[in-house]
Amino acid sequence: MTQTATQATQAARSSGATTSMPIAKALNESLRKALENDPKVLIMGEDVGRLGGVFRITDGLYKDFGEDRVIDTPLAESGIVGTAVGLALRGYRPVVEIQFDGFVFPAYDQIVTQLAKMHARALGKVRMPVVVRIPYGGGIGAVEHHSESPEALFAHVAGLKVVSPSNANDAYWMLQQAIECDDPVIFFEPKRRYWDKGEVAVDAVPTGLHQAVVAQPGTDLTLVAYGPMVKVCLEAAAAAANEGRSLEVVDLRSLSPIDFDTVQASVEKTGRLVVVHEAPVFYGAGAEIAARITERSFYHLEAPVLRVGGFHSPYPPARLEEEYLPGLDRVLDAVDRSLAF
């Protein structure tokens, strides 16, 4: 059943008070809660202990839970994930931090050939409750290898679950749900949104980890996004409303699996779909969404499904990244093209 963000917020508030905090703090509180609730939860990564992480997501956890549960590792991503696989085999629930998106590739072999395959290899007798946290995306003026969006590479791999929150409440709850999951979860955190504040309902019943939500209801066209691009799409919907256009924004939240039912219900109401992500359009998640919705809802579409995303090129130097990143103008241009049909 489709759930709007407004309905989710109302349900959360009816279950208890909310607290305003940035996404970074929500992630920190979520990790703290997980460590308190389950002694088998461990945090591992480069500088996650004494320093508290380069983005301070693990700040204070080393002091409160000790070096046996918040573990500073060597600069060896393959070794970090490989160790997490072994710990999961021994009954632990490791939460691994990859310091920046571009640093994950040395660990890619461990993730796709061991972490993703172990459950099937053992004929279901082995579980891999491992979370790999990856700050991803651009917009922070960083150097090379610090602004990638590799989510499609992981969503393509059977055996992995891939999710990305767009707001503080989802960051708080989705990370706890990922840690509680018995399957490996790649948890992509939109790093340029770390300091965006939002209301967090710490006593609420959360939305399902892999359920999309309607962040903004509308009637003329559907915008589908996840992670850092949800904010841009909400801004686009507000700008379009000034011109008398009603855009519906669907926050996908999960990339593997994808809640196609919520997307389909929205598209069959509006008749138009634009998919937006920061990653390159070429072979991006938007291609799969466009294909599936075209198959499912062909006779409801009033226009071709359009995609907005990054260019098929290496991520540029910081001084050029605003030209690379999809922004309000590029989203509204796609909206104009779709509504012109």
Side-chain angles (χ1 to χ4, degrees):
M1 181 178 68
T2 302
Q3 182 183 35
T4 68
T6 301
Q7 290 170 335
T9 301
Q10 290 172 345
R13 288 175 176 169
S14 68
S15 303
T18 62
T19 303
S20 178
M21 65 181 76
I23 288 176
K25 179 63 173 176
L27 292 168
N28 178 273
E29 291 295 324
S30 183
L31 289 170
R32 178 177 295 278
K33 187 74 171 177
L35 288 165
E36 290 172 347
N37 288 346
D38 188 347
K40 293 293 187 179
V41 172
L42 306 175
I43 296 174
M44 305 166 55
E46 300 161 7
D47 297 320
V48 300
R50 289 180 174 86
L51 180 65
V54 293
F55 294 105
R56 301 300 186 266
I57 304 302
T58 55
D59 188 41
L61 301 181
Y62 179 89
K63 177 176 68 71
D64 293 341
F65 295 94
E67 62 182 6
D68 291 335
R69 300 199 58 202
V70 183
I71 304 165
D72 279 321
T73 67
L75 306 183
E77 287 79 11
S78 181
I80 296 168
V81 175
T83 301
V85 171
L87 285 166
L89 287 170
R90 299 294 295 174
Y92 290 92
R93 291 183 176 271
V95 182
V96 169
E97 177 181 300
I98 302 297
Q99 200 169 71
F100 283 91
D101 35 56
F103 299 177
V104 74
F105 298 110
Y108 193 72
D109 177 38
Q110 288 287 348
I111 292 172
V112 303
T113 64
Q114 305 299 336
L115 190 59
K117 303 293 193 299
M118 194 68 74
H119 180 67
R121 185 182 300 149
L123 302 178
K125 296 178 181 178
V126 170
R127 295 287 186 178
M128 282 284 112
V130 177
V131 175
V132 181
R133 294 180 42 244
I134 306 177
Y136 80 120
I140 63 168
V143 296
E144 189 179 19
H145 307 309
H146 290 67
S147 302
E148 310 293 332
S149 295
E151 59 270 21
L153 298 178
F154 295 94
H156 185 70
V157 178
L160 298 176
K161 295 184 175 181
V162 182
V163 301
S164 180
S166 68
N167 58 74
N169 193 67
D170 277 351
Y172 178 81
W173 284 111
M174 289 173 68
L175 183 52
Q176 290 184 62
Q177 291 169 312
I179 294 170
E180 293 168 358
C181 181
D182 285 334
D183 297 315
V185 179
I186 312 299
F187 195 91
F188 281 101
E189 301 169 5
K191 70 169 87 76
R192 66 166 154 152
R193 306 299 184 207
Y194 272 152
W195 301 277
D196 289 1
K197 284 190 173 183
E199 294 296 316
V200 177
V202 296
D203 297 321
V205 177
T207 303
L209 179 60
H210 302 293
Q211 181 179 341
V213 299
V214 177
Q216 173 68 48
T219 57
D220 296 335
L221 180 146
T222 298
L223 291 172
V224 168
Y226 56 87
M229 287 293 103
V230 172
K231 182 177 181 179
V232 175
C233 287
L234 289 171
E235 291 170 351
N242 293 330
E243 300 178 353
R245 296 171 171 178
S246 175
L247 307 186
E248 181 149 297
V249 179
V250 176
D251 183 351
L252 209 55
R253 302 175 75 248
S254 175
L255 291 171
S256 182
I258 292 176
D259 178 8
F260 286 110
D261 290 343
T262 294
V263 178
Q264 179 179 350
S266 176
V267 172
E268 292 186 359
K269 178 178 69 172
T270 67
R272 292 175 168 84
L273 172 61
V274 175
V275 186
V276 183
H277 50 64
E278 193 171 307
V281 169
F282 188 70
Y283 276 100
E288 178 65 23
I289 297 168
R292 290 291 187 101
I293 293 303
T294 299
E295 291 172 1
R296 286 181 170 215
S297 305
F298 181 79
Y299 292 105
H300 292 82
L301 290 170
E302 301 290 340
V305 178
L306 300 180
R307 294 172 290 154
V308 178
F311 301 114
H312 190 47
S313 66
Y315 196 89
R319 69 178 63 183
L320 297 175
E321 69 177 345
E322 289 304 319
E323 302 300 323
Y324 176 91
L325 293 170
L328 183 63
D329 289 342
R330 275 158 65 183
V331 174
L332 290 175
D333 177 70
V335 169
D336 289 342
R337 287 187 285 129
S338 179
L339 291 172
F341 279 89

